[in-house]
């Protein structure tokens, strides 16, 4: 029997663009006037780059371990408070408890992600909105844990915006496994 539990959260992104503040310092009268920011600079002012591979893994682990704490205790306050402003604004701790009740009832334990290395299948910043999307899997004894996480830029950091977690049994996970970053010998073509 295929056991797949997917929970997805999506919050509406509040469209805000940071106002460009100009600070002028007293200069000699002959000094030139500061140039206004270009449209490209204004557009990218609120954007953060895709983090390094190590930081991506850290973001994933922290998010999933925070979810795990909520699943184990039934207290979703920390998950809500550590998330981005859109997520926190649109979800109460009680709502999150109802949303994640199926995973709680399944006694899903995500603590193994603290020591495992995930296989990332996506890590990109959206061009349309300042959102970071990270997807991938963690191997497991009983199967594979699939995750799909979205982060919003907030105060210079990536903060949780949406989360989806699925657990696939070993037989299904093995059939779907597609390594995306194996080390390969370029001369022989062998891993």
């Amino acid at each position: 029997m295929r056991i797949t539990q997917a929970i997805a959260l999506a919050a509406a992104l509040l469209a805000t663009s940071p106002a460009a503040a100009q600070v002028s310092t007293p200069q000699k009268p002959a000094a030139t006037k500061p140039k206004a920011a270009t449209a490209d600079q204004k557009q990218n002012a609120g954007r953060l780059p895709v983090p390094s591979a190590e930081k991506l893994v850290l973001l994933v682990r922290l998010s999933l371990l925070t979810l795990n704490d909520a699943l184990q205790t039934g207290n979703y306050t920390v998950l809500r408070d550590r998330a981005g402003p859109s997520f926190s604004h649109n979800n109460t701790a009680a709502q999150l408890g109802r949303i994640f009740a199926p995973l709680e009832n399944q006694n899903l334990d995500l603590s193994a992600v603290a020591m495992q290395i995930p296989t990332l299948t996506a890590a990109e910043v959206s061009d349309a909105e300042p959102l970071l999307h990270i997807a991938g899997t963690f191997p497991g004894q009983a199967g594979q844990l699939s995750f799909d996480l979205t982060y919003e830029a907030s105060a210079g950091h990536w903060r949780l915006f949406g989360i989806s977690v699925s657990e696939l049994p070993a037989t299904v996970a093995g059939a779907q496994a597609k390594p995306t970053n194996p080390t390969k010998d370029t001369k022989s073509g062998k891993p």
Side-chain angles (χ1 to χ4, degrees):
M1 176 181 196
R2 180 178 174 175
I3 301 172
T4 301
Q5 181 62 43
I7 303 295
L9 293 177
L13 178 63
L14 301 173
T16 59
S17 60
Q22 292 186 357
V23 178
S24 59
T25 55
Q27 295 195 10
K28 298 177 185 175
T32 59
K33 197 167 140 183
K35 293 181 182 177
T38 66
D40 217 23
Q41 289 170 331
K42 286 180 183 177
Q43 183 180 358
N44 292 328
R47 295 191 184 270
L48 293 174
V50 174
S52 67
E54 294 81 14
K55 288 185 181 180
L56 286 171
V57 171
L58 183 61
L59 268 174
V60 169
R61 283 183 176 152
L62 288 173
S63 298
L64 294 178
L65 290 172
T66 301
L67 174 60
N68 188 59
D69 289 344
L71 292 172
Q72 302 307 312
T73 64
N75 183 349
Y76 291 86
T77 305
V78 174
L79 176 64
R80 187 180 139 280
D81 292 347
R82 288 188 54 95
S86 299
F87 185 97
S88 298
H89 177 73
N90 290 307
N91 297 289
T92 66
Q95 287 171 322
L96 292 172
R98 287 189 296 276
I99 291 167
F100 288 108
L103 290 179
E104 257 188 81
N105 295 337
Q106 216 179 5
N107 293 323
L108 184 62
D109 184 3
L110 305 174
S111 60
V113 303
M115 300 301 291
Q116 295 174 334
I117 298 171
T119 299
L120 300 180
T121 57
E124 59 199 9
V125 175
S126 166
D127 288 334
E129 300 169 339
L131 297 176
L132 170 64
H133 175 242
I134 307 172
T137 58
F138 278 97
Q141 293 276 344
Q144 193 175 64
L145 178 71
S146 176
F147 60 87
D148 194 331
L149 305 166
T150 305
Y151 297 88
E152 68 179 317
S154 174
H157 299 284
W158 290 112
R159 303 208 23 220
L160 191 63
F161 177 82
I163 182 169
S164 174
V165 176
S166 303
E167 185 179 38
L168 301 172
T171 55
V172 174
Q176 292 183 353
K178 294 178 187 174
T180 57
N181 54 354
T183 305
K184 190 174 185 179
D185 182 335
T186 56
K187 292 180 183 174
S188 66
K190 296 179 182 176

